[in-house]
Amino acid sequence: MSRQAISPGKNFFAGGFGGVCLVFAGHPLDTIKVRIQTMPVPGPGESPLYRGTFDCFKQTLAKEGFKGLYKGMAAPIIGVTPMFAVCFFGFGLGKKLQQKTPDDVLTYPQLFAAGMLSGVFTTAIMAPGERIKCLLQIQAAKGEVKYAGPMDCVKQLYKESGIRGIYRGTALTLMRDVPASGMYFMTYEWLKRLLTPEGKSPNELSVPSVLFAGGMAGIFNWAVAIPPDVLKSRFQTAPEGKYPNGFRDVLRELLREEGVASLYKGFTAVMLRAFPANAACFLGFEMAMKFLNWAAPGL
């Protein structure tokens, strides 16, 4: 099976386009996920703020309209082009570093390791983008307007806590993205091989096959990522100083007050979002790569 040479330029544009597709397809359910994960614990005799994913969806539409589902989208949109460029390039680089010859077919553990490398690469962009996104999403849910938008959020965070305030939750982002990215890319490559007809190249997969492989890669990715994502959302949106020992304090509080099930808060919203968002991402990536290979074969 012939392997296509890694092209940073093509990976940048194709990965960025795939990321934009992912955000547009998945942001509404991401908003629901964050609001469910960060809602306050109800007191004795009180009803929870949201009874579940669909109740949160209904309340958001009723109070804020359709635009409410896209709150905080500017930050991930600004971050997705470089982030997915780095993500897909990091995966390609991880594969290349493990190959003895360009035509070597990597094992699944090797593909997992290459995917983990992409998770390390993307954290520098992902951590601040996630912090800003989460703050804007829960601000709208609480009805408070502390931040006028993403740039105002960055300015206020920097003024309050410096660069550390913007990068708060980086360790948890790494804990989420490194193993989850390994699972993400390994699953996609496995399904591509599985769905490729005999004698054909995985690059010639049909649109439905790419959508299925990409969507399932998203499901497997989030199956690994949900517990650290819950901790990250809670930590990044907490008041300064609430968790002095970082994620260990968040974990202790969640387990003490809500039990192990709290680590899977937002599970329904995550899984409803994971398939279409990641199907859109990989389809966007593959279509952009085909276009770039046709338009600029020597790039």
Side-chain angles (χ1 to χ4, degrees):
M1 191 187 297
S2 174
R3 178 186 170 277
Q4 183 152 356
I6 296 166
S7 166
K10 288 178 183 174
N11 274 273
F12 181 87
F13 290 109
F17 183 70
V20 170
C21 293
L22 179 143
V23 174
F24 272 103
H27 194 79
L29 279 160
D30 186 72
T31 298
I32 302 300
K33 177 206 72 171
V34 171
R35 291 185 177 185
I36 289 170
Q37 288 177 344
T38 58
M39 68 178 175
V41 180
E46 291 181 355
S47 298
L49 182 62
Y50 307 116
R51 291 190 301 274
T53 299
F54 296 104
D55 182 52
C56 183
F57 181 80
K58 283 193 291 185
Q59 286 195 46
T60 301
L61 275 182
K63 293 175 185 173
E64 302 166 57
F66 192 71
K67 283 173 67 178
L69 296 169
Y70 283 91
K71 284 279 167 70
M73 192 176 76
I77 281 285
I78 291 165
V80 288
T81 299
M83 185 189 73
F84 273 80
V86 170
C87 180
F88 278 90
F89 176 72
F91 177 59
L93 183 62
K95 290 194 291 184
K96 185 176 183 179
L97 289 171
Q98 296 179 88
Q99 285 182 320
K100 292 176 183 175
T101 68
D103 291 329
D104 279 355
V105 177
L106 297 181
T107 65
Y108 293 118
Q110 286 176 315
L111 289 168
F112 188 87
M116 288 199 297
L117 181 65
S118 77
V120 174
F121 277 29
T122 56
T123 297
I125 302 165
M126 195 74 167
E130 287 277 303
R131 169 98 156 115
I132 294 157
K133 171 183 73 69
C134 288
L135 286 170
L136 292 173
Q137 285 172 327
I138 67 154
Q139 158 184 283
K142 290 178 178 176
E144 301 167 1
V145 184
K146 183 179 179 183
Y147 308 110
M151 291 311 297
D152 182 52
C153 185
V154 171
K155 286 178 193 170
Q156 289 196 46
L157 287 173
Y158 186 77
K159 190 176 177 182
E160 290 166 9
S161 314
I163 198 73
R164 287 182 64 187
I166 297 169
Y167 274 87
R168 187 179 180 194
T170 298
L172 279 164
T173 306
L174 267 173
M175 284 173 58
R176 181 193 70 176
D177 288 351
V178 171
S181 295
M183 182 63 77
Y184 187 54
F185 284 108
M186 184 186 74
T187 302
Y188 183 66
E189 292 288 331
W190 166 59
L191 287 171
K192 275 182 77 176
R193 290 180 189 178
L194 196 68
L195 295 168
T196 300
E198 197 172 338
K200 295 275 188 180
S201 164
N203 295 327
E204 298 170 10
L205 272 185
S206 65
V207 168
S209 294
V210 170
L211 287 171
F212 179 75
M216 290 307 297
I219 296 284
F220 278 79
N221 168 84
W222 278 104
V224 173
I226 288 177
D229 186 63
V230 172
L231 297 176
K232 181 196 69 66
S233 294
R234 185 68 67 98
F235 181 69
Q236 287 186 320
T237 57
E240 194 69 40
K242 183 176 180 182
Y243 301 117
N245 296 313
F247 76 90
R248 287 169 295 178
D249 285 350
V250 187
L251 181 60
R252 283 193 205 104
E253 182 186 85
L254 276 171
L255 293 178
R256 184 179 67 248
E257 293 182 1
E258 302 174 60
V260 176
S262 64
L263 293 173
Y264 287 88
K265 270 189 169 183
F267 180 86
T268 305
V270 167
M271 290 306 175
L272 283 173
R273 169 186 178 269
F275 193 95
N278 289 285
C281 173
F282 276 107
L283 181 63
F285 175 79
E286 297 285 2
M287 298 291 281
M289 282 299 287
K290 282 183 180 177
F291 173 76
L292 290 167
N293 287 333
W294 169 78
L299 183 65

